[in-house]
Amino acid sequence: MKYLIGLLIVFFTMFSCKKITNKSDKINSNQVSINNQWNGDKLISDLDFVSQINTSCLLTSSYFNRSEEEVKQDNLKCVLSKINFDYSKLDSLKGRRIIGNLNNSLDLYIEKTTPRNLENADIYNQVTLFIKKDKIIMDSIVIYESINYIDALTVKQLYYYIDNNKIFLLNLSEDESGSSVNDWSEYYVNESGKIKLVKNKKTDNTKIEKKPSQIENAETTKNTNLIGSFKIYADAMSNNTKEKVSLGYFITIKSLTKAVLSIDAKYSEDYGCEGEYRLIDEKNILHAKGKCDQDDVDDFYLKYDNGKCFIRSKRFINQDWLELIRE
């Protein structure tokens, strides 16, 4: 009899403990308020949507040599174009912003934070979700990132969606091959304000086989060192007097697709083509086209070879590759 009573005590003790554990995870949906201006896009929670990203958003042709119409069509084909929430507004987030409440006891707020392991990122933005109870931070999780590596033409992005006490995160990478999924995760916030992982899915990032032109462009991205500011003075024929003058080209290459040219010249007719230039990759040579596009006389070409940067232009008397001076 004593043995039976002992078993009953153990049974009820175990049952009571299990009930308390479950209760700590309960969030009453009737006591949840989330600001839908800041809860992200519902598509992030849809695994069917996530599964379509790698097949629809990876490019099958050269990133650099696409026309404007081809860029438009590639964007429309990619399912990421269906996302309606403007995540870029998080880049300019100021201070703390309360976005919801759970069980009338847990406050949810977001705030910009500094990413760890930036690895020489040129542009970075990060937002963290904090769970607060009675003025005490119970837990936190990074829900948004936009990290740009200009030299490598790579952007890492983290998107989120908050549904009641559930948090969905989608981790993406974008480079010259297009956009692809790194992983997808689902979390929930329990009654104590702790964030718990429900599941995490790593995706198959098998790339679509690249065409030779894509492989060459990838090599350009890895092997060139053209990002930066350069200058050169070269002899040219003046557009004003048709006499030989010295032209100063001051070039700021912001990325492998954009550069800005400033010209030092004696006559105004010789610096009329200053401004922003679009860079087009042509077999490891960058072809710069600007506002003076009636012909290619004012275009210029850039290349990186054996640790040095070179320029060639029909504006110069010397039509050979001339070495640029890095500033």
Side-chain angles (χ1 to χ4, degrees):
M1 184 68 178
K2 288 182 179 180
Y3 177 75
L4 179 59
I5 292 172
L7 284 175
L8 287 172
I9 291 172
V10 171
F11 172 78
F12 284 117
T13 301
M14 291 177 65
F15 182 77
S16 298
C17 291
K18 186 175 181 181
K19 261 186 102 173
I20 293 171
T21 302
N22 286 342
K23 184 179 178 182
S24 68
D25 285 345
K26 288 182 178 179
I27 295 290
N28 188 338
S29 60
N30 295 324
Q31 296 180 333
V32 173
S33 62
I34 302 294
N35 186 335
N36 60 14
Q37 296 297 312
W38 296 96
N39 67 333
D41 199 293
K42 188 175 182 179
L43 285 172
I44 304 303
S45 65
D46 186 347
L47 275 176
D48 182 58
F49 165 80
V50 173
S51 68
Q52 297 176 52
I53 295 174
N54 281 11
T55 54
S56 69
C57 300
L58 287 174
L59 302 179
T60 56
S61 60
S62 170
Y63 172 89
F64 294 95
N65 295 328
R66 294 177 297 166
S67 66
E68 290 185 10
E69 181 61 27
E70 287 173 328
V71 171
K72 181 180 177 181
Q73 291 303 318
D74 285 336
N75 290 340
L76 289 174
K77 183 187 72 172
C78 175
V79 294
L80 289 172
S81 64
K82 296 180 180 179
I83 291 178
N84 292 318
F85 183 82
D86 181 14
Y87 287 97
S88 64
K89 68 181 181 180
L90 293 157
D91 296 342
S92 56
L93 183 68
K94 303 294 183 184
R96 297 180 180 180
R97 181 175 292 272
I98 296 177
I99 64 167
N101 181 276
L102 305 178
N103 276 13
N104 296 323
S105 62
L106 300 173
D107 288 325
L108 279 61
Y109 72 87
I110 56 176
E111 186 175 17
K112 289 191 75 171
T113 48
T114 302
R116 297 179 180 179
N117 304 320
L118 289 175
E119 301 172 352
N120 300 318
D122 299 282
I123 303 171
Y124 57 86
N125 288 285
Q126 178 179 282
V127 171
T128 299
L129 172 68
F130 294 89
I131 314 297
K132 195 173 183 180
K133 183 177 184 179
D134 297 330
K135 299 182 179 180
I136 298 174
I137 296 175
M138 306 305 296
D139 213 340
S140 65
I141 187 171
V142 174
I143 59 171
Y144 169 74
E145 281 185 332
S146 180
I147 303 177
N148 195 326
Y149 302 87
I150 294 176
D151 285 3
L153 283 181
T154 300
V155 178
K156 293 182 179 180
Q157 295 169 315
L158 178 66
Y159 292 156
Y160 71 92
Y161 175 62
I162 301 173
D163 180 24
N164 291 331
N165 68 320
K166 296 179 181 178
I167 304 167
F168 302 90
L169 299 180
L170 175 61
N171 194 342
L172 301 164
S173 290
E174 181 182 359
D175 56 22
E176 77 278 358
S177 299
S179 297
S180 59
V181 177
N182 295 325
D183 64 8
W184 176 92
S185 302
E186 178 184 347
Y187 298 83
Y188 75 96
V189 181
N190 67 16
E191 192 179 47
S192 300
K194 294 297 183 181
I195 299 170
K196 303 291 185 180
L197 177 65
V198 177
K199 53 188 168 185
N200 173 265
K201 290 185 177 293
K202 301 284 184 181
T203 61
D204 179 11
N205 279 328
T206 302
K207 302 280 187 179
I208 295 173
E209 186 176 353
K210 295 182 180 180
K211 295 181 180 180
S213 59
Q214 283 184 283
I215 296 172
E216 291 172 3
N217 288 329
E219 289 301 315
T220 300
T221 302
K222 294 176 183 177
N223 299 331
T224 61
N225 189 26
L226 284 166
I227 308 297
S229 297
F230 301 87
K231 68 178 180 180
I232 187 172
Y233 278 89
D235 290 336
M237 299 303 293
S238 171
N239 289 329
N240 180 33
T241 63
K242 304 304 178 184
E243 65 183 19
K244 185 168 75 172
V245 294
S246 179
L247 283 187
Y249 269 35
F250 296 81
I251 305 168
T252 300
I253 303 172
K254 296 185 175 182
S255 70
L256 293 182
T257 59
K258 183 189 295 185
V260 176
L261 172 66
S262 296
I263 301 175
D264 179 20
K266 182 177 180 181
Y267 304 107
S268 61
E269 290 85 352
D270 292 324
Y271 54 77
C273 294
E274 289 182 319
E276 187 172 290
Y277 278 69
R278 180 168 57 98
L279 301 179
I280 303 169
D281 188 284
E282 297 177 352
K283 296 183 178 180
N284 295 340
I285 294 173
L286 296 182
H287 181 180
K289 291 187 175 184
K291 62 182 181 181
C292 300
D293 59 357
Q294 66 277 5
D295 51 41
D296 65 345
V297 173
D298 292 290
D299 294 358
F300 58 89
Y301 300 82
L302 302 164
K303 75 173 183 177
Y304 180 79
D305 188 30
N306 292 327
K308 297 179 180 180
C309 300
F310 297 88
I311 185 173
R312 188 171 66 190
S313 172
K314 289 184 178 180
R315 287 287 283 122
F316 301 153
I317 294 175
N318 188 339
Q319 293 292 292
D320 292 333
W321 287 103
L322 305 177
E323 185 178 349
L324 289 164
I325 299 172
R326 185 183 290 273
E327 294 190 295

